[in-house]
Amino acid sequence: MRLLSGSARLAGVIGWPVAHSRSPRLHGTWLNRYGIDGAYLPLPVAPEHFADTVRALRHAGFAGANVTIPHKEAAFAVCDRLEPSALRAGAVNTLIFGDSITGANTDGYGFVANLRAHGVDPAAGPALILGAGGAARAIAAALQDEGAAVTICNRSPERAAALAAHLPPAKILAWDQRAAALSDHALLVNTTSLGMTGHPPLDMPLESAPASLAVADIVYAPLTTPLLAAAAAQKLKAVEGLGMLLHQAVPGFSAWFGVTPEVDEELYRIVAS
């Protein structure tokens, strides 16, 4: 058992609820692997207490924290300084404490790193993104930064239009046109909750998809979503969502604990179990 000293570095994940989070297992694995005197804690915080808690954690000596649902926009507001990734995404998932509170968004970084880990070039061609929430925003911005054209397709056209307006020259596509548009894209990304355990499956026919299409799903529970199973059946490149979770954690861990950790098969196995 790893024992902490009085000078241990502390970080955690703030959410409401937070018991489902795999981040403590993820960061705990790295802390053990690198022999770091530190801990990463689950921090269940109700929305009305979020801002006060963040400031208290900084004053209590925490190095920082991850932020998950429903706090990412509140985290954006509480920061003293915002990195370009957070400004582009309009939300914060990583807080770094020092003399002030710095906010970053590593979701886009994690998504692109996971694509590359699966042999997919993020700039190979246009990307069709299903969904228009915070994750879609971060991923669309990251893909644009890599040089890919982006099209937003959402069940609510108003939200799709708002996201596209924030990230010009992103295009929008009607939800009922999503299958017909696959031939014009190199990458399909599901950022919705459809296909997640406890949610309806995503209705996304892939029979007409070109053989060159890569299909990514940011859902990681289950690891193989119906969309990814359909992609595999069509012999398309399929990119699961757990890798995004692992890769997005790298910048925060490095900032808090001073070590740039490695994402490898052992980490996948431990976090997936």
Side-chain angles (χ1 to χ4, degrees), residues 16 35 53 68 79 87 90 114 127-128 133-134 138 170 198 201 212-213 228 249 261:
W16 187 257
T53 299
T68 188
C79 290
L87 290 170
N114 191 39
L128 177 59
S212 58
L213 183 73
L228 296 181

Side-chain angles (χ1 to χ4, degrees), residues 126-130 153 173 177-189 203-215 227 234 236:
L128 177 59
I129 298 177
L130 305 181
C153 182
L173 181 74
Q177 295 298 308
R178 62 194 183 282
L182 290 179
S183 60
D184 299 325
H185 294 85
L187 175 65
L188 171 68
V189 187
D203 180 15
M204 184 68 227
L206 298 177
E207 289 78 13
S208 62
S212 58
L213 183 73
V215 179
L227 176 65
Q234 295 295 123
L236 304 175

Side-chain angles (χ1 to χ4, degrees), residues 142-226:
L143 288 172
Q144 285 182 332
D145 290 344
E146 292 291 329
V150 167
T151 299
I152 308 298
C153 182
N154 190 56
R155 288 167 290 179
S156 165
E158 294 80 12
R159 294 195 68 189
L163 176 51
H166 179 74
L167 295 173
K171 300 176 182 179
I172 58 174
L173 181 74
W175 185 254
D176 61 4
Q177 295 298 308
R178 62 194 183 282
L182 290 179
S183 60
D184 299 325
H185 294 85
L187 175 65
L188 171 68
V189 187
N190 177 39
T191 72
T192 76
S193 60
L194 295 173
M196 184 185 297
T197 301
H199 293 258
L202 171 65
D203 180 15
M204 184 68 227
L206 298 177
E207 289 78 13
S208 62
S212 58
L213 183 73
V215 179
D217 200 329
I218 70 168
V219 171
Y220 57 83
L223 289 175
T224 302
T225 64

Side-chain angles (χ1 to χ4, degrees), residues 6-268:
S7 58
R9 302 277 290 176
L10 300 176
V13 55
I14 308 172
W16 187 257
V18 79
H20 66 283
S21 175
R22 301 194 188 192
S23 291
R25 178 183 289 264
L26 164 55
H27 288 272
T29 299
W30 280 335
L31 289 168
N32 282 327
R33 176 183 293 178
Y34 300 110
I36 294 171
D37 182 18
Y40 183 97
L41 309 173
L43 301 166
V45 178
E48 62 268 26
H49 301 307
F50 176 78
D52 289 340
T53 299
V54 168
R55 296 186 185 99
L57 290 173
R58 184 174 76 85
H59 289 306
F62 272 63
N66 283 128
V67 179
T68 188
I69 296 172
H71 299 314
K72 291 186 179 183
E73 292 184 3
F76 187 94
V78 81
C79 290
D80 303 304
R81 189 177 77 84
L82 293 164
E83 293 189 358
S85 60
L87 290 170
R88 289 270 280 155
V92 163
N93 76 333
T94 303
L95 298 169
I96 302 165
F97 300 152
D99 294 335
S100 60
I101 301 172
T102 298
N105 190 303
T106 65
D107 283 336
Y109 166 89
F111 179 80
V112 168
N114 191 39
L115 285 183
R116 290 199 169 103
H118 284 80
V120 176
D121 179 2
L128 177 59
I129 298 177
L130 305 181
R137 191 165 171 166
I139 289 169
L143 288 172
Q144 285 182 332
D145 290 344
E146 292 291 329
V150 167
T151 299
I152 308 298
C153 182
N154 190 56
R155 288 167 290 179
S156 165
E158 294 80 12
R159 294 195 68 189
L163 176 51
H166 179 74
L167 295 173
K171 300 176 182 179
I172 58 174
L173 181 74
W175 185 254
D176 61 4
Q177 295 298 308
R178 62 194 183 282
L182 290 179
S183 60
D184 299 325
H185 294 85
L187 175 65
L188 171 68
V189 187
N190 177 39
T191 72
T192 76
S193 60
L194 295 173
M196 184 185 297
T197 301
H199 293 258
L202 171 65
D203 180 15
M204 184 68 227
L206 298 177
E207 289 78 13
S208 62
S212 58
L213 183 73
V215 179
D217 200 329
I218 70 168
V219 171
Y220 57 83
L223 289 175
T224 302
T225 64
L227 176 65
L228 296 181
Q234 295 295 123
K235 297 183 170 28
L236 304 175
K237 174 73 77 171
V239 181
E240 42 65 39
L242 182 61
M244 175 181 165
L245 174 72
L246 304 185
H247 285 284
Q248 65 80 31
V250 170
F253 189 93
S254 178
W256 304 323
F257 299 111
V259 173
T260 300
E262 183 181 0
V263 175
D264 56 16
E265 289 300 322
E266 180 189 36
L267 187 70
Y268 268 86

